[in-house]
């Protein structure tokens, strides 16, 4: 198990380092957040098949937003490929997310930084800030559950360099069996952090590891330029020719509530509100993404509402079935009365028509 963990950390290390480097700020932080935007996760059971395809999302409303550099949210430096659309819904057990962004096809097998990458982030602690991924001011050597209490954020990060389009990645029996949030197959990992320099896989931390850590996420990706829908295998890489125009789709799900007991997962409540952030990396001009390649849909948290099922709809359905039952009962009562009257009438008529006989004639 120790050897597997070391190998896992070595594989993930380069992506982690790149992410930390992308948060090295050159000046004072400034943000003009759009306070009008929000995302609603409607109650839509049985709507989504988690396969990277967006067909089943076509009737779901979403948030359309420009992608600005995360550390320098200037309109002049926005992602030129197009806007990102973020959609969400839930089925009462799991919450689902779709990220849709235009971009010429770029894929280099085995090199995550030369492929698009996405991340979702949610606050856990009451003091967790969007800026600096939780905002704890402790350094690498001093950050821990006590010194950074209240600054925890939950992160899902998907790098697709080893992920086959349309296939599911994320939580799997091997990594979950090791008690951490890793994904040795497709790098769809479940993390938590207190700041960019103190970020760990679920179940792993500076104070020691905990075997209860799990990767609760699952997800898949797709690009609209693919002309095969029956399914890819690894030998089909790179799956289509480079630089084709189209749209990337990233689809994810996880339980509304997880079995986390380490304050490493955000927990969602039906009818409640949370917050989220979305990040996007793209290998501009074929160059490995870093620094300015890290874009975001907003420079602060975006409200996320987990809507309950429609009580109006339920009442209407209940009322309709009740009306039908009442009408049937009334009809049955009327028929019963009519039958009773008819039977009584027939009996009376018969008794009048029969001749009267004396006792002596019997």
């Amino acid at each position: 198990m120790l050897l597997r963990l070391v190998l896992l950390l070595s594989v993930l290390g380069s992506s982690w380092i790149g992410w930390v480097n992308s948060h090295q700020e050159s000046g004072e932080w400034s943000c003009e957040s759009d306070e009008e935007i929000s995302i609603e996760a409607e109650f839509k059971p049985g709507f989504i098949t988690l396969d990277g395809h967006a067909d089943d999302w076509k009737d779901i409303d979403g948030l359309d937003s420009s992608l600005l550099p995360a550390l320098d949210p200037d309109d002049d430096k926005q992602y030129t490929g197009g806007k990102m659309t973020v959609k969400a819904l839930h089925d009462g057990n799991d919450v689902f997310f779709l990220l849709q962004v235009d971009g010429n096809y770029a894929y280099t097998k085995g090199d995550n930084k030369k492929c698009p990458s996405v991340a979702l982030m949610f606050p856990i602690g009451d003091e967790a800030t969007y800026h600096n991924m939780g905002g704890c001011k402790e350094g690498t050597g001093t950050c821990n559950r006590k010194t950074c209490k209240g600054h925890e954020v939950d992160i899902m990060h998907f790098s697709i360099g080893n992920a086959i389009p349309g296939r599911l990645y994320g939580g799997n029996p091997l990594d979950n069996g090791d008690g951490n949030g890793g994904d040795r197959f497709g790098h769809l990992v479940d993390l938590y952090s207190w700041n960019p320099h103190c970020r760990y896989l679920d179940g792993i931390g500076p104070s020691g590891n905990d075997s209860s850590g799990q990767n609760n996420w699952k997800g898949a990706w797709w690009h609209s330029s693919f002309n095969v829908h029956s399914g890819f295998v690894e030998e089909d890489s790179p799956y289509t020719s480079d630089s084709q125009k189209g749209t990337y789709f990233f689809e994810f799900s996880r339980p509304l509530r997880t079995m986390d007991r380490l304050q490493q997962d955000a927990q969602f409540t039906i009818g409640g509100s949370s917050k989220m952030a979305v990040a996007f990396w793209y290998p501009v001009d074929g160059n490995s993404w870093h620094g300015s390649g890290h874009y975001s849909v907003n420079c602060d948290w975006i409200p996320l509402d987990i809507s309950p099922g429609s009580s109006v709809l339920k009442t209407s359905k209940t009322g309709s079935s009740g009306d039908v039952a009442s009408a049937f009962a009334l009809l049955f009562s009327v028929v019963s009365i009519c039958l009773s009257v008819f039977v009584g009438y027939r009996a009376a008529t018969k008794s009048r028509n029969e001749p009267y006989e004396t006792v002596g004639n019997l």
Side-chain angles (χ1 to χ4, degrees):
M1 177 176 174
L2 179 59
L3 177 59
R4 290 202 299 268
L5 183 58
V6 171
L7 290 174
L8 173 66
L9 293 176
S10 66
V11 170
L12 299 179
S14 60
S15 296
W16 288 7
I17 293 170
W19 203 357
V20 170
N21 288 340
S22 73
H23 282 77
Q24 299 296 328
E25 298 177 28
S26 57
E28 185 177 350
W29 168 252
S30 176
C31 167
E32 294 183 6
S33 175
D34 186 349
E35 298 181 356
E36 300 297 321
I37 64 176
S38 64
I39 297 171
E40 180 182 5
E42 294 185 70
F43 176 61
K44 296 281 187 180
F47 250 63
I48 302 302
T49 300
L50 202 65
D51 55 7
H53 300 285
D55 299 345
D56 40 8
W57 290 87
K58 64 180 184 300
D59 295 325
I60 306 300
D61 294 331
L63 168 67
D64 296 323
S65 176
S66 299
L67 287 163
L68 304 180
L71 302 184
D72 186 11
D74 188 334
D75 289 339
D76 294 334
K77 300 176 182 179
Q78 67 180 281
Y79 171 67
T80 58
K83 293 185 176 182
M84 175 178 277
T85 300
V86 183
K87 297 183 177 184
L89 61 80
H90 75 93
D91 63 4
N93 294 304
D94 295 330
V95 59
F96 298 82
F97 296 94
L98 175 74
L99 310 182
Q100 175 179 321
V101 58
D102 292 337
N104 292 345
Y105 187 68
Y107 187 85
T108 302
K109 185 178 183 299
D111 191 343
N112 285 327
K113 293 185 180 180
K114 287 194 174 182
C115 305
S117 181
V118 293
L120 302 177
M121 182 169 71
F122 308 88
I124 303 174
D126 293 338
E127 307 297 325
T129 61
Y130 163 84
H131 184 228
N132 276 335
M133 297 168 63
C136 180
K137 299 187 181 303
E138 298 292 329
T140 306
T142 57
C143 61
N144 55 55
R145 284 192 290 183
K146 291 184 177 180
T147 60
C148 290
K149 184 176 177 59
H151 290 275
E152 304 88 354
V153 296
D154 185 10
I155 300 168
M156 184 284 306
H157 187 202
F158 190 23
S159 295
I160 65 174
N162 290 303
I164 302 170
R167 303 296 184 181
L168 277 180
Y169 293 94
N172 62 81
L174 294 179
D175 292 296
N176 282 345
D178 286 344
N180 64 70
D183 175 15
R184 69 190 69 189
F185 302 106
H187 197 92
L188 196 165
V189 294
D190 194 347
L191 309 142
Y192 71 99
S193 84
W194 297 297
N195 62 48
H197 308 281
C198 298
R199 186 176 67 259
Y200 303 91
L201 288 172
D202 282 14
I204 297 175
S207 302
N209 303 334
D210 191 298
S211 60
S212 69
Q214 300 283 291
N215 186 341
N216 296 110
W217 287 93
K218 295 188 185 304
W221 72 280
W222 196 258
H223 192 266
S224 61
S225 66
F226 297 151
N227 55 19
V228 174
H229 289 271
S230 58
F232 287 111
V233 294
E234 187 175 2
E235 289 75 15
D236 296 324
S237 177
Y239 312 111
T240 191
S241 57
D242 199 40
S243 300
Q244 287 209 54
K245 291 185 178 181
T247 303
Y248 280 98
F249 303 99
F250 303 91
E251 196 174 25
F252 308 103
S253 74
R254 56 146 278 187
L256 289 165
R257 310 288 293 185
T258 73
M259 297 184 70
D260 169 52
R261 56 185 180 83
L262 303 172
Q263 195 72 341
Q264 296 174 357
D265 286 342
Q267 305 296 336
F268 304 114
T269 302
I270 296 174
S273 296
S274 185
K275 300 173 184 177
M276 67 178 295
V278 183
F280 176 65
W281 289 260
Y282 185 81
V284 179
D285 298 325
N287 299 315
S288 299
W289 50 256
H290 61 86
S292 63
H294 176 195
Y295 299 94
S296 182
V297 299
N298 194 34
C299 62
D300 205 345
W301 293 119
I302 303 169
L304 171 64
D305 297 322
I306 311 296
S307 299
S310 174
S311 58
V312 175
L313 181 61
K314 290 181 179 179
T315 301
S316 175
K317 288 183 177 179
T318 302
S320 298
S321 60
D323 291 342
V324 171
S326 298
F328 182 78
L330 177 61
L331 178 62
F332 182 78
S333 299
V334 172
V335 171
S336 298
I337 293 172
C338 292
L339 285 173
S340 299
V341 171
F342 178 74
V343 170
Y345 172 78
R346 290 283 294 176
T349 302
K350 184 177 180 181
S351 63
R352 287 198 300 269
N353 293 335
E354 289 181 354
Y356 175 78
E357 296 184 2
T358 62
V359 174
N361 293 331
L362 296 178

